[in-house]
């Protein structure tokens, strides 16, 4: 990681046409940011990433081609450090309705970013916001859309030339909007739906969003305004669901709108049916109350459409489904969803600075090659299950969903390979030492942070041993009561897990097949995500 860059003088720097630019990308560990970085690199630009947790980018295929600065958009010092020597900065972060004060957080972060961009003499800011309905007073907008509109205004008022791109539903493998649409349509042949299924929407393919974002780096310096971006089709959400069913070759869906479903109730309903938890589904569904259709297409004067673009809805869905089927989903909506305080101690702290730490340790000898055992470990979760008592894991996932958690349905980004920061059912990959250690941090609703560690120990003399640790740091009396209430089941759940992982590795090695061929707790193909 490099974070020392030359200072710059105040005032915008000129950019001769075609000259490579230095671009700062915020939100590089998120859905859009993680896809924008390689696009900028392929366009010949230099890229710097501002992230709170640099190790989340460590396993990205482009990590060694970018500069990484640790910081936060709400911290002026780290933003100023990241902007030294930068020409164009992309603002791709949002609180997405998390917490009651998320609008204030978004507001303060945008002001910090705009102020530091002006002081550093950036030539341009680029912001991806939301498409707002025409003629609707801002007070009637959802908090999510209202906040995005406000962030756009703050950046436009910063004194730095700014391009605000306003998009509605983004269709692409792994996007929250696409996952919501996909799972609603695939899982429910007969659907009772809210009134917003009749709202007109202008979706846009993620490929077109990225193309326009890259093109905005070269906008003339006198262009500072908002642009609506969208695909060629204007559809109701009902038509989108039926269009998805046609592309996916599903039987026609029967959809019954019910006017009594409020945004709150419908978000809970979406949270139960899809992998998108209610906390994220709510701002998405609230934004569907109003028509979101492009009022102008002026961006095309500056970033012309190549042949075949913008992609239509059916083509966008087809490409997204191919990515899902081929396990080529590079980023997902859950990539940036990391609850919990950054100050929470890690289970590797030398003397455990956080107080009580409950542990459950299981070890087993494994008469297999180390790489065979590791393949099973790295392939855990998603369709492969958790190798013990599938009903217990399923019930725990449903209970988590009922209290607003993420549940088990997020699955995996890739069926075989994991990266630091990947979501994995109701866990997130916190550390991975390929061939040796996988550490997962729980993102289910718990009275304290929890981890699950899986080790491959090779003594070099032909003895391989599997070691597994479940760790829990209780918060208050409720945390202690939780641990002791579930500990009687650990022998079945964690003991069976260790035993079955070793057995699966032995079977896979003996049959020379992939370890995903015979896991416990397999899911239905339709649940792949």
């Amino acid at each position: 990681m490099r974070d020392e860059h030359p200072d710059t003088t105040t005032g915008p720097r000129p950019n001769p046409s075609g000259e490579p630019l230095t671009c700062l990308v915020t939100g590089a560990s998120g859905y859009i940011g993680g896809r924008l970085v390689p696009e900028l690199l392929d366009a010949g630009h230099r890229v710097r990433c501002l992230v709170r947790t640099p190790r989340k980018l460590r396993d990205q295929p482009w990590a060694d081609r970018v500069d990484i600065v640790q910081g936060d958009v709400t911290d002026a010092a780290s933003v100023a450090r990241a902007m030294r020597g930068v020409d164009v900065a992309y603002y791709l972060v949002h609180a997405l309705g998390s917490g009651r004060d998320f609008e204030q957080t978004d507001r303060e972060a945008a002001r910090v970013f705009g102020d530091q961009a002006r002081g550093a003499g950036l030539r341009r800011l680029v912001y991806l916001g939301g498409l707002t309905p025409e003629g609707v007073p801002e007070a009637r907008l959802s908090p999510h859309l209202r906040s995005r509109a406000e962030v756009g205004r703050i950046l436009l008022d910063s004194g730095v030339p700014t391009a605000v791109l306003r998009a509605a539903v983004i269709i692409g493998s792994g996007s929250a909007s696409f996952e919501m649409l996909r799972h609603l349509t695939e899982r429910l042949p007969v659907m009772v739906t809210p009134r917003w299924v009749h709202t007109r929407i202008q979706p846009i393919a993620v490929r077109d969003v990225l193309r326009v974002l890259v093109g905005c780096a070269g906008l003339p310096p006198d262009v500072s305004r908002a642009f609506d971006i969208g695909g060629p089709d204007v559809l109701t959400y009902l038509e989108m669901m039926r269009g998805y069913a046609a592309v996916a070759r599903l039987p026609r869906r029967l959809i019954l709108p019910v006017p009594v479903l409020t945004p709150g109730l419908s978000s809970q309903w979406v949270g139960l049916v899809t992998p998108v938890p209610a906390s994220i589904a709510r701002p998405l569904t609230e934004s569907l109350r109003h028509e979101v259709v492009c009022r102008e297409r002026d961006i095309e004067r500056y970033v012309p459409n190549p042949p075949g673009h913008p992609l239509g809805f059916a083509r966008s869905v087809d490409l997204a489904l191919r990515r899902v089927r081929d396990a080529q989903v590079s980023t997902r909506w859950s990539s940036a969803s990391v609850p919990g305080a950054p100050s929470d101690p890690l289970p590797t702290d030398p003397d455990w600075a956080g107080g009580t730490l409950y542990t459950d340790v299981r070890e087993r000898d494994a008469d297999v090659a180390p790489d065979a055992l590791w393949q099973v470990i790295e392939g855990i979760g998603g369709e492969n299950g958790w190798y013990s008592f599938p009903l217990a894991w399923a019930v725990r996932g449903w209970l988590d969903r009922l209290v607003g958690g993420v549940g088990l349905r997020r699955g995996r980004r890739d069926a075989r390979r994991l990266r630091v920061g990947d979501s994995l059912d109701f866990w997130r990959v916190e550390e991975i030492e390929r061939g040796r250690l996988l550490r997962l941090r729980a993102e289910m609703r718990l009275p304290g942070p929890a981890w699950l560690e899986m080790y491959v120990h090779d003594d070099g003399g032909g003895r391989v041993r599997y070691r597994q640790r479940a760790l829990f740091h209780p918060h208050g009396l409720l945390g202690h009561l939780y641990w002791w209430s579930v500990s009687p089941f650990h022998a079945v759940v964690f003991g069976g897990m260790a035993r079955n992982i070793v057995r699966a590795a032995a079977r896979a090695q003996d049959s020379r097949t992939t370890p995903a061929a015979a896991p416990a707790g397999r899911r239905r193909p339709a649940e792949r995500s």
Side-chain angles (χ1 to χ4, degrees), residues 27 49 72 105 140 220 288 293 362 364 389 409 418 455 457:
C49 300
D72 190 278
T105 301
R140 290 182 54 200
L288 296 174
V293 176
R362 310 281 168 170
R364 295 188 69 88
F389 205 174
R409 288 185 180 162
L418 292 173
Y455 296 85
H457 179 69

Side-chain angles (χ1 to χ4, degrees), residues 371-490:
D371 62 336
L373 182 56
W374 176 253
Q375 286 177 28
V376 175
I377 292 172
E378 192 173 6
I380 201 165
E383 289 188 12
N384 298 338
W386 291 89
Y387 294 93
S388 72
F389 205 174
L391 179 60
W393 287 92
V395 169
R396 185 63 185 87
W398 274 105
L399 290 174
D400 192 54
R401 301 287 284 192
L402 288 173
V403 296
V406 296
L408 281 173
R409 288 185 180 162
R410 293 190 303 183
R412 297 172 54 106
R413 178 191 57 83
D414 186 290
R416 297 185 180 182
R417 299 279 288 184
L418 292 173
R419 298 192 304 225
V420 170
D422 272 0
S423 59
L424 179 58
D425 291 329
F426 48 40
W427 305 91
R428 186 171 299 276
V429 179
E430 187 171 82
E431 183 56 87
I432 183 168
E433 297 176 20
R434 198 149 271 111
R436 177 182 173 272
L437 165 68
L438 175 64
R439 180 186 302 125
L440 307 175
R441 182 174 181 136
E443 292 192 341
M444 66 195 85
R445 294 294 181 93
L446 291 171
W451 298 265
L452 178 62
E453 296 179 335
M454 289 163 275
Y455 296 85
V456 176
H457 179 69
D458 181 8
D459 66 2
R463 185 168 181 252
V464 177
R465 193 164 181 81
Y466 171 73
R467 186 169 190 264
Q468 174 183 296
R469 283 205 310 166
L471 307 103
F472 179 65
H473 173 42
H475 285 175
L477 177 61
L478 182 60
H480 292 276
L481 292 175
Y482 171 80
W483 175 264
W484 290 112
S485 68
V486 298
S487 58
F489 304 100
H490 286 175

Side-chain angles (χ1 to χ4, degrees), residues 234-304:
V234 176
L235 307 164
T236 65
Y237 205 86
L238 173 67
E239 291 170 331
M240 288 172 59
M241 287 193 285
R242 286 178 172 161
Y244 177 94
V247 174
R249 298 182 180 179
L250 300 171
R252 183 178 175 87
R253 272 30 193 167
L254 178 61
I255 300 170
L256 306 172
V258 175
V260 295
L261 280 177
T262 65
L265 287 174
S266 62
S267 65
Q268 294 294 332
W269 168 71
V270 169
L272 287 173
V273 175
T274 81
V276 182
S279 59
I280 293 178
R282 177 150 192 162
L284 295 178
T285 55
E286 283 181 336
S287 299
L288 296 174
R289 289 182 300 170
H290 305 291
E291 182 175 285
V292 279
V293 176
C294 294
R295 297 183 291 274
E296 43 81 14
R297 306 201 66 117
D298 296 347
I299 191 63
E300 295 174 7
R301 300 206 307 260
Y302 304 99
V303 186

Side-chain angles (χ1 to χ4, degrees), residues 130-174:
L131 191 58
T132 54
E134 186 175 17
V136 177
E138 190 167 294
R140 290 182 54 200
L141 295 178
S142 71
H144 169 59
L145 276 184
R146 186 170 61 239
S147 181
R148 291 204 163 195
E150 183 182 22
V151 168
R153 287 198 306 273
I154 291 171
L155 296 178
L156 284 168
D157 293 341
S158 67
V160 178
T162 300
V164 173
L165 302 179
R166 301 185 297 202
V169 171
I170 295 177
I171 302 296
S173 59

Side-chain angles (χ1 to χ4, degrees), residues 309-393:
H309 287 265
L311 298 175
F313 175 76
R315 178 63 173 156
S316 303
V317 169
D318 181 57
L319 289 171
L321 285 175
R322 289 188 192 182
R323 289 275 186 176
V324 172
R325 285 194 297 265
D326 296 340
Q328 294 180 344
V329 181
S330 57
T331 63
R332 299 179 70 212
W333 62 270
S334 55
S335 300
S337 176
V338 188
S343 59
D344 283 344
L346 295 173
T348 51
D349 285 354
D351 297 315
W352 180 250
T356 302
L357 182 67
Y358 290 117
T359 62
D360 181 279
V361 180
R362 310 281 168 170
E363 295 189 14
R364 295 188 69 88
D365 289 328
D367 188 19
V368 296
D371 62 336
L373 182 56
W374 176 253
Q375 286 177 28
V376 175
I377 292 172
E378 192 173 6
I380 201 165
E383 289 188 12
N384 298 338
W386 291 89
Y387 294 93
S388 72
F389 205 174
L391 179 60
W393 287 92

Side-chain angles (χ1 to χ4, degrees), residues 8-13 79 83 89 110-125 154-161:
T8 61
T9 57
T10 302
R13 289 176 294 278
V79 173
M83 285 184 172
R111 286 172 179 163
V112 166
F113 204 77
D115 290 345
Q116 296 306 314
R118 183 177 62 252
L122 267 65
R123 64 181 302 270
R124 175 157 301 281
L125 297 176
I154 291 171
L155 296 178
L156 284 168
D157 293 341
S158 67
V160 178

Side-chain angles (χ1 to χ4, degrees), residues 23-28 30-43 47 62 89-92 126 209-215 330-331:
C23 300
L24 174 67
V25 177
T26 63
Y31 178 72
I32 293 293
R35 298 190 181 205
L36 177 62
V37 169
E39 296 290 332
L40 289 169
L41 291 169
D42 290 345
V47 177
W62 40 260
Y90 288 87
Y91 193 81
L92 303 173
V126 182
V209 173
L210 296 171
R211 176 177 57 81
V212 176
L213 283 168
V214 172
S330 57
T331 63

